[in-house]
């Protein structure tokens, strides 16, 4: 992988194991669905990411990605798989072995999941605070209508 390809892949990638499309997504609907749909043969995927087909097969054997399969067993790679392959290339160029790459991808995926959880909790917290303010106002009104009473 050329240095400019490595830099581009690193800039475009948000980290972690990308969805592989192995969940049976139809490819219709959102951009995420289309990104997860396997459409590229292994030869095309290898050419697009600048690696060999044997390397891609090795990455699959090591559990770094799981492409979709046709009914006949042919591998089909999605845009998300290509993103993962580019990330693998970047990590290998940085000196990691495949075991290290797998750990990094797993940790990045876990980090993304935790970040999503945190965003959800922050949203829930805002909603609870708003509910709490409304309940406090209702309680003050019920206790005698004093709007400027100290917070409970």
């Amino acid at each position: 992988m050329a240095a400019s390809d490595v830099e581009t892949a690193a800039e475009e990638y948000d980290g972690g194991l990308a969805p592989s499309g192995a969940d049976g997504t139809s490819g219709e609907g959102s951009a995420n669905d289309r990104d997860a749909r396997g459409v590229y043969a292994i030869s095309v995927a290898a050419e697009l990411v600048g690696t060999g087909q044997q390397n891609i097969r090795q990455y699959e054997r090591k559990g770094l990605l799981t492409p979709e399969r046709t009914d006949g067993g042919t591998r089909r790679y999605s845009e998300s798989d290509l993103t993962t392959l580019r990330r693998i290339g970047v990590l290998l160029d940085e000196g990691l072995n495949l075991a290290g790459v797998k750990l990094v991808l797993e940790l990045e995926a876990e980090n993304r999941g935790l970040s999503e959880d945190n965003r959800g909790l922050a949203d829930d917290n805002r909603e609870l605070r708003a509910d709490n303010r409304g309940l406090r106002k209702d309680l003050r009104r019920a206790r005698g209508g004093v709007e400027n009473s100290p917070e409970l």
Side-chain angles (χ1 to χ4, degrees):
M1 195 176 258
S4 63
D5 293 338
V6 170
E7 290 170 8
T8 302
E11 290 171 5
E12 293 175 355
Y13 191 73
D14 68 350
L17 293 169
S20 67
D23 60 353
T25 54
S26 67
E28 299 174 6
S30 73
N32 287 340
D33 291 340
R34 287 188 301 273
D35 286 347
R37 182 171 180 230
V39 294
Y40 302 108
I42 192 169
S43 59
V44 175
E47 185 175 337
L48 289 171
V49 300
T51 192
Q53 294 177 35
Q54 289 300 324
N55 291 338
I56 296 174
R57 289 184 188 102
Q58 177 74 5
Y59 304 155
E60 183 180 355
R61 281 191 297 274
K62 296 289 185 177
L64 302 179
L65 77 157
T66 305
E68 284 185 39
R69 298 266 184 169
T70 64
D71 291 339
T74 303
R75 293 171 177 90
R76 291 288 180 209
Y77 295 87
S78 66
E79 287 294 330
S80 296
D81 292 328
L82 298 182
T83 301
T84 299
L85 288 167
R86 289 182 186 105
R87 181 64 176 150
I88 291 168
V90 168
L91 293 170
L92 290 171
D93 288 346
E94 290 178 357
L96 276 71
N97 62 21
L98 291 180
V101 169
K102 184 174 183 178
L103 289 173
V104 168
L105 295 177
E106 288 170 351
L107 289 169
E108 288 174 340
E110 184 177 348
N111 189 41
R112 264 196 325 277
L114 291 171
S115 293
E116 290 171 11
D117 290 349
N118 282 342
R119 280 191 292 277
L121 290 171
D123 292 343
D124 291 348
N125 190 32
R126 280 190 287 281
E127 290 175 22
L128 289 172
R129 287 179 182 268
D131 289 347
N132 195 12
R133 280 191 297 274
L135 291 171
R136 286 180 180 183
K137 286 180 184 177
D138 291 346
L139 182 59
R140 281 194 300 268
R141 270 186 248 126
R143 286 186 172 168
V146 181
E147 283 295 321
N148 292 327
S149 65
E151 291 289 322
L152 299 175

